Amino acid sequence: MKILAIESSCDETAAAVVQEGVILSSVVATQMKVHAEYGGVVPELAAREHLSNVLPVVNQALSDAGMSAKDLDWIAATQGPGLPPALMVGYQAAQHMAFALGMPLLGVQHHEAHLYSPWIHSEEARLETEAFEPHISLVVSGGHTMLVWVRAPMDHGVVGATIDDAAGECFDKTAKMIGLPYPGGPVMDRLAAEGDPKAIDFPRPMLKDSGLDFSFSGLKTAVRYHLEKHPERLQSPDSLKDVCASVQAAITDVLVAKTLRAAQKHAVGMITVSGGVACNRGLRAALGQACERQGLRLRVAQPIYCTDNAAMVGTLATWRIRLGATPTPREEGIRAGWMLDEKA
Ligand code: KG4
Ligand code: ZN
């Protein structure tokens, strides 16, 4: 079974070819530079970029896999959630290809693709379903932060989520206050590595709360007030690094504590992590140590499959098709507000 997968929910145009769970190719065209001058993603510009990139990216993915379109068996694409103008471009390309080639189409939920991305085995770029066990998954990205209890493959439910901003958004917005370029998360990660995480005691929102939800907007405000009061913090490279390390520590402390609490509450022996923020080295290290202390197994998505990509769309489609997924009607449109708890 050979699947062509397409992803265009935000600012990456991506295509991949996945054959029997092995990623034969994965191409990502990022629009970061286009949006950087606006400090965030502009949906209209994203759609235009997707439109010029989608066919070259699909052609590249096919050529890297040594295939032509008629060798494929299925077309899969992100159907939601995401920015409607952006989603529409990739999804429509998939609809048209499926129609022209007479192939089945599978619409994929974006968070679900992140959720199962840690199962891509890093060395072989292969979907490793045989190692599956019930787990708690932290899906942490620019648009979403949630804890999901995965009882069996494709049997999962959200047990905690942010009530306001996503963790990635908190990284990006505080980075902007510090004067770092967009997207701020990766830059903060780099600077934080050389700073003191205990330099400033920023709040750990909802850490003491016994539930599994998150809130990051208050932390953002606390950073703003702190910098207004102490503008000197940004004047030397060393104290700027301390600010980055302290913000990162506040975010990761909450993410780690709630993820471990969810694992305990639902009595699972494994944690998985995915989404752009899962690239963060501070978070990866803190989770690694916490899981080791608690005797939990940890599977973190490989960095190239953390940020938006189509390989995760193709691997999820493989898994779903193996479990008997029926094709998505070709005339069905995008589902921009599609939540993870809603069935496909
Ligand atoms: O998964 P993703 O590519 O897109 C969404 O679905 O949102 O995640 C992008 C987010 C951005 O907020 C970016 O700043 C954050 O992931 N991110 C990071 C790192 N790499 C990406 N945040 C912290 N540390 C990183 N190393
Ligand atoms: Zn994403």
Side-chain angles (χ1 to χ4, degrees), residues 77-274:
T78 306
Q79 194 177 7
L83 301 171
L87 277 172
M88 208 124 60
V89 177
Y91 195 70
Q92 248 179 13
Q95 274 179 317
H96 292 169
M97 282 190 74
F99 178 73
L101 296 162
M103 276 171 203
L105 172 73
L106 193 69
V108 166
Q109 210 272 7
H110 182 71
H111 301 160
E112 196 169 294
H114 277 298
L115 176 66
Y116 289 95
S117 64
W119 298 94
I120 302 174
H121 188 280
S122 51
E123 278 139 51
E124 301 157 52
R126 177 180 68 86
L127 173 59
E128 207 179 31
T129 49
E130 62 279 11
F132 182 90
E133 63 173 288
H135 59 276
I136 285 291
S137 194
L138 171 67
V139 183
V140 65
S141 180
H144 36 86
T145 296
M146 60 179 98
L147 284 166
V148 188
W149 179 24
V150 187
R151 297 166 287 257
M154 309 308 136
D155 174 14
H156 48 250
V158 177
V159 292
T162 181
I163 57 168
D164 42 51
D165 294 351
E169 202 178 337
C170 187
F171 268 112
D172 294 341
K173 294 206 171 134
T174 50
K176 197 172 172 184
M177 291 174 207
I178 299 170
L180 305 177
Y182 174 85
V187 189
M188 255 212 183
D189 185 354
R190 265 202 311 280
L191 295 173
E194 292 167 27
D196 174 8
K198 295 203 173 75
I200 310 160
D201 187 21
F202 286 124
R204 271 61 174 159
M206 293 176 80
L207 186 64
K208 299 251 157 64
D209 172 294
S210 63
L212 298 175
D213 286 338
F214 302 96
S215 163
F216 291 104
S217 74
L219 172 58
K220 212 173 57 188
T221 313
V223 175
R224 170 148 29 90
Y225 287 157
H226 183 88
L227 295 177
E228 277 169 12
K229 219 167 144 194
H230 300 280
E232 75 284 358
R233 286 270 187 207
L234 304 181
Q235 261 134 42
S236 89
D238 282 345
S239 65
L240 191 145
K241 286 173 187 165
D242 288 347
V243 177
C244 290
S246 302
V247 171
Q248 181 171 293
I251 298 174
T252 54
D253 276 0
V254 178
L255 292 174
V256 171
K258 297 255 171 179
T259 306
L260 265 78
R261 192 176 297 161
Q264 194 176 31
K265 182 168 175 195
H266 295 285
V268 297
M270 177 181 266
I271 282 171
T272 70
V273 194
S274 61

Side-chain angles (χ1 to χ4, degrees), residues 7 9-10 110-111 114 141-144 275-276 306-309 312:
E7 150 68 33
S9 63
C10 191
H110 182 71
H111 301 160
H114 277 298
S141 180
H144 36 86
C306 282
T307 45
D308 288 346
N309 65 89
M312 67 181 186

